[in-house]
Amino acid sequence: MTTQPQPAVSVTPPLPTRRNAELLLLCFAAMITTAALAIVQADQDRRLSWDLLDYAAGFLVLFAGAHLAIRRFAPYADPLLLPVVALLNGLGLVMIHRLDLAERFAGGGARAVAHPQVLWTLVGVAAFALVVALLKDHRQLARYGYISGLAGLVILAIPALLPLSFSEQNGAKIWIRLPGFSIQPAEFSKILLLIFFSAVLVAKRGLFTSAGKHFLGMDLPRPRDLAPLLAAWVISVGVMIFEKDLGTSLLLYASFLVVVYLATQRFSWVVIGLALFALGSVAAYFAFGHVRVRVQTWLDPFADPEGSGYQMVQSLFSFATGGIFGTGLGNGQPDTVPAASTDFIIAAFGEELGLVGLAGLLMLYTIVIIRGMRTAIAVRDSFGKLLAAGLASTLAIQLFIVVGGVTKLIPLTGLTTPWMSYGGSSLLANYVLLAILVRISHAARRPFRTRSRNISSIAAAKTEVIERV
């Protein structure tokens, strides 16, 4: 009796791609968005039009295109990421449109921003599909780690070097104003710097994990190993001082500390990093007036309710008016909060959807963050683990800074709510971030080939075939 030779390579049974489930969830997101838009139209215009169906069809076609890009180029990607983001984006468009209607009925002179936001959504989804199609393997980004870091620093520093007329708005020098449009480079810088941090930490992990002195139960790093931490501290404090942007400063530095901790598993890095940031913040408070104004407004916004504290006071009134279940979409007065469509869109949702509706929105963000962390756990390469965890952590930190600011938990910052607030730079950058997460999740969930058992003892050892980048 002869035995048939076993194949040299066997393929694990393919996992379900869940693309049909993703498409079904996208249809559900389109239904919720359309229903919310209909409620707003009924409350504000006192009528419904057939144009709502056109909007719903356009929304579904747009994200169906992104779904087809995933189905073609990343079929094993997480099926929840795109539908949840589509729902967040759709609800953001509804609220921005609702604020435009309030301005129109009040006779305000502010320009409508819903239509530009729709165009930026189109550009963002197109950029998402382009990144998913062109980025064949996320590990390719590690090759350009230093270039990404240099590019991130350059575009982050440009607003600080430009004249005030080309860079400043609401007291913060964070813009690059060009004829016809403007961009906020910090939104793209956070992605480039995360790629740089992840690439460097993977390449030089031994340097960061080398033993130093043992003090108070912690292994402190050697002084010569602190250069990257000090560089990140200088960058973040520089952004706080020269660009007057507390939110971006905190976001960049906190994201760096998270990635460093994940790479080294040494809590001493976090302790030293937080101590450095606290020292820099205290020094900036006493040295720069705009930092003192932010902190004093946070401590007591009612000390100047008609001046520096007006925005925070109106935000707190909006949350109080909303209560548990809210006033209902289209029935509140969220337009009384300055910058309601950008920095304070969370306050607008808090008034009209109440605590319950706002908790639902935060749960949607939590789903994206948790799925990003699960992707970091499942992916098999160290760079992908750090990058996915860094991107998911950045979303979590940004959401905490935004919600904490508008609820007076922390000093107010100028960050926008991802995928919901008005702003082309934020929307485009966050769709690029989502595309990278989708690409990493595809690598984490796709089946891989393994060597099967053979007669020889060498072939009997289980080995993994690693694909070339």
Side-chain angles (χ1 to χ4, degrees):
M1 179 178 179
T2 60
T3 59
Q4 296 292 331
Q6 296 182 355
V9 176
S10 62
V11 180
T12 58
L15 298 173
T17 62
R18 303 294 186 186
R19 298 279 66 85
N20 292 334
E22 179 182 80
L23 182 59
L24 183 62
L25 289 173
L26 283 174
C27 294
F28 186 59
M31 290 174 56
I32 295 178
T33 302
T34 305
L37 185 60
I39 292 173
V40 167
Q41 287 290 121
D43 286 335
Q44 293 292 306
D45 282 346
R46 305 299 178 185
R47 63 183 180 84
L48 292 177
S49 67
W50 292 105
D51 293 340
L52 292 176
L53 296 180
D54 295 336
Y55 294 140
F59 182 87
L60 186 57
V61 168
L62 177 62
F63 283 96
H67 163 77
L68 291 177
I70 295 178
R71 184 181 286 268
R72 171 65 179 83
F73 298 103
Y76 291 100
D78 193 312
L80 287 180
L81 291 175
L82 182 62
V84 173
V85 169
L87 180 56
L88 290 170
N89 195 172
L91 293 176
L93 289 172
V94 170
M95 180 55 69
I96 292 171
H97 176 62
R98 183 258 178 277
L99 292 168
D100 280 352
L101 292 177
E103 288 288 340
R104 188 184 72 188
F105 292 141
R111 67 184 181 92
V113 295
H115 292 299
Q117 186 73 350
V118 170
L119 294 178
W120 278 115
T121 300
L122 177 61
V123 173
V125 175
F128 169 87
L130 193 63
V131 172
V132 170
L134 296 181
L135 185 61
K136 302 300 182 182
D137 194 314
H138 65 273
R139 291 173 292 181
Q140 294 173 345
L141 297 174
R143 297 178 179 177
Y144 307 100
Y146 287 95
I147 296 177
S148 298
L150 179 61
L153 290 178
V154 169
I155 65 175
L156 185 63
I158 288 176
L161 304 176
L162 292 176
L164 295 180
S165 59
F166 290 95
S167 61
E168 187 173 15
Q169 180 177 345
N170 297 327
K173 287 172 59 65
I174 58 176
W175 294 91
I176 299 177
R177 297 188 178 280
L178 301 173
F181 71 99
S182 59
I183 60 174
Q184 191 174 348
E187 294 288 347
F188 303 94
S189 180
K190 68 182 182 183
I191 300 176
L192 294 172
L193 291 177
L194 275 176
I195 294 173
F196 168 69
F197 293 153
S198 301
V200 170
L201 287 171
V202 168
K204 302 183 180 297
R205 178 178 295 179
L207 174 68
F208 293 97
T209 57
S210 57
K213 293 183 178 181
H214 191 76
F215 180 72
L216 295 178
M218 296 185 298
D219 291 324
L220 301 180
R222 297 175 299 184
R224 63 183 180 182
D225 298 338
L226 290 174
L229 184 63
L230 293 175
W233 177 74
V234 170
I235 293 169
S236 62
V237 173
V239 169
M240 182 192 304
I241 294 173
F242 295 105
E243 298 188 359
K244 303 178 182 178
D245 189 3
L246 305 181
T248 300
S249 174
L250 180 58
L251 176 63
L252 293 177
Y253 196 65
S255 300
F256 173 74
L257 288 183
V258 168
V259 175
V260 167
Y261 175 73
L262 292 175
T264 63
Q265 296 296 309
R266 295 177 66 177
F267 191 67
S268 57
W269 285 94
V270 179
V271 173
I272 295 173
L274 292 177
L276 286 173
F277 191 80
L279 289 175
S281 300
V282 171
Y285 174 83
F286 288 104
F288 301 98
H290 65 273
V291 178
R292 285 196 298 274
V293 171
R294 289 289 182 94
V295 175
Q296 291 168 1
T297 302
W298 166 57
L299 293 175
D300 187 10
F302 291 93
D304 187 14
E306 299 295 331
S308 60
Y310 179 77
Q311 194 174 32
M312 177 55 65
V313 168
Q314 293 301 314
S315 175
L316 295 177
F317 283 155
S318 293
F319 285 115
T321 302
I324 300 297
F325 298 104
T327 59
L329 275 175
N331 289 325
Q333 293 180 318
D335 52 298
T336 59
V337 183
S341 61
T342 53
D343 300 355
F344 278 77
I345 197 168
I346 289 294
F349 278 108
E351 178 177 352
E352 299 206 334
L353 298 184
L355 178 62
V356 174
L358 186 57
L361 290 178
L362 297 181
M363 286 301 297
L364 292 177
Y365 280 107
T366 304
I367 291 173
V368 177
I369 294 166
I370 290 178
R371 302 300 286 196
M373 289 297 184
R374 289 188 61 180
T375 294
I377 294 173
V379 73
R380 293 179 283 273
D381 65 286
S382 298
F383 174 74
K385 287 181 179 294
L386 282 184
L387 184 56
L391 295 174
S393 299
T394 296
L395 289 175
I397 295 168
Q398 184 168 347
L399 187 64
F400 170 78
I401 293 173
V402 171
V403 178
V406 301
T407 57
K408 198 179 165 293
L409 179 64
I410 61 175
L412 185 62
T413 65
L415 293 182
T416 57
T417 309
W419 298 297
M420 295 187 71
S421 295
Y422 172 74
S425 300
S426 174
L427 199 58
L428 180 58
N430 284 307
Y431 268 114
V432 172
L433 183 152
L434 178 66
I436 298 174
L437 262 183
V438 165
R439 174 53 69 181
I440 298 175
S441 71
H442 166 72
R445 300 178 74 249
R446 68 183 174 186
F448 60 96
R449 297 176 296 173
T450 56
R451 295 284 184 184
S452 63
R453 294 186 178 274
N454 208 328
I455 299 175
S456 64
S457 58
I458 296 178
K462 293 183 178 180
T463 59
E464 180 180 337
V465 178
I466 303 296
E467 298 180 1
R468 291 176 179 264
V469 181

